[in-house]
Amino acid sequence: MHSFGYRANALATFAITILVIMCAMASFSDTFNTPSPTASVKVLNINWFQKQLHGNDEVSMTLNISADLQSLFTWNTKQVFVFVAAEYETPKNSLNQISLWDGIIPSKENAKFSIHTSNKYRFIDQGSNLKGKEFNLTLHWHVMPKTGKMFTNKIVMTGYRLPEDYR
Ligand SMILES: *[C@@H]1O[C@H](CO)[C@@H](O)[C@H](O)[C@H]1NC(C)=O
Ligand SMILES: *[C@@H]1O[C@H](CO)[C@@H](O)[C@H](O)[C@H]1NC(C)=O
């Protein structure tokens, strides 16, 4: 006859097995969700654009960030981290990426938004390369699941250009 301890142990093992299977199914079902997020970022204004004392260019801009990231949310989504970055090339680096704004989206209800904001983080070049500089704005997201692997992706918006002169 099995002891009580043995049966409790067997029950716990069974429960853990079920849990593991459910977690695997949860992250597996996520791979069948093909999200179709949309985003648009507009530069509403260049507030100022100048060269700092020690020679680095800095620009301040007002952005209109609109996005619909609702399709990223499934029942397995804990939260989504999102950030907007300016990306441009310089002779020294083929990719300069500067984060301008970020946020955490806690739920699907908050995943469709339009924000009118000046850049939350400073847009400073490692030099004076920004005059008339073409740049892209990218909206990146990191989906943090309740169980399974995190996944990331982005939308690239092209064709922005900084002014030719400081102002
Ligand atoms: C921001 O962009 C959204 C979507 O294009 C638009 O509906 C909204 O009116 C814009 N807001 C401003 C302040 O331009
Ligand atoms: C902007 O993005 C496009 C498409 O991904 C890329 O070909 C181009 O090199 C990028 N431009 C800059 C300035 O990074």
Side-chain angles (χ1 to χ4, degrees):
M1 212 178 94
H2 297 318
S3 70
F4 172 75
Y6 177 86
R7 267 185 277 155
N9 192 6
L11 193 63
T13 307
F14 179 68
I16 288 166
T17 307
I18 295 289
L19 196 64
V20 168
I21 290 170
M22 279 172 62
C23 288
M25 279 166 57
S27 49
F28 188 63
S29 73
D30 263 6
T31 59
F32 288 110
N33 176 45
T34 46
S36 51
T38 59
S40 122
V41 181
K42 282 177 230 147
V43 178
L44 297 180
N45 190 42
I46 301 292
N47 305 322
W48 46 264
F49 178 30
Q50 63 194 31
K51 193 187 186 78
Q52 298 172 326
L53 286 179
H54 40 280
N56 290 337
D57 281 353
E58 177 168 6
V59 59
S60 164
M61 48 178 67
T62 303
L63 302 170
N64 178 6
I65 304 166
S66 308
D68 182 351
L69 306 180
Q70 287 185 314
S71 62
L72 295 175
F73 280 80
T74 67
W75 62 275
N76 189 34
T77 307
K78 195 163 145 216
Q79 61 183 27
V80 173
F81 172 70
V82 59
F83 71 97
V84 170
E87 297 182 356
Y88 60 97
E89 276 178 42
T90 54
K92 231 164 123 186
N93 301 305
S94 60
L95 175 65
N96 297 271
Q97 186 187 67
I98 300 189
S99 179
L100 300 179
W101 174 88
D102 64 11
I104 287 173
I105 305 169
S107 67
K108 188 170 185 167
E109 289 68 46
N110 302 106
K112 192 171 173 182
F113 58 88
S114 178
I115 299 169
H116 187 187
T117 179
S118 57
N119 50 294
K120 178 173 167 186
Y121 303 111
R122 297 174 73 182
F123 187 165
I124 303 176
D125 182 49
Q126 302 292 313
S128 50
N129 299 295
L130 296 186
K131 274 188 176 178
K133 176 59 74 182
E134 271 186 43
F135 65 104
N136 288 343
L137 286 172
T138 51
L139 183 119
H140 298 249
W141 59 86
H142 296 183
V143 178
M144 322 229 175
K146 290 176 182 152
T147 167
K149 268 192 286 186
M150 181 177 91
F151 74 93
T152 68
N153 210 337
K154 65 178 176 182
I155 290 177
V156 180
M157 290 151 279
T158 61
Y160 300 84
R161 186 187 281 276
L162 286 167
E164 295 291 342
D165 291 304
Y166 299 127
R167 51 171 82 165

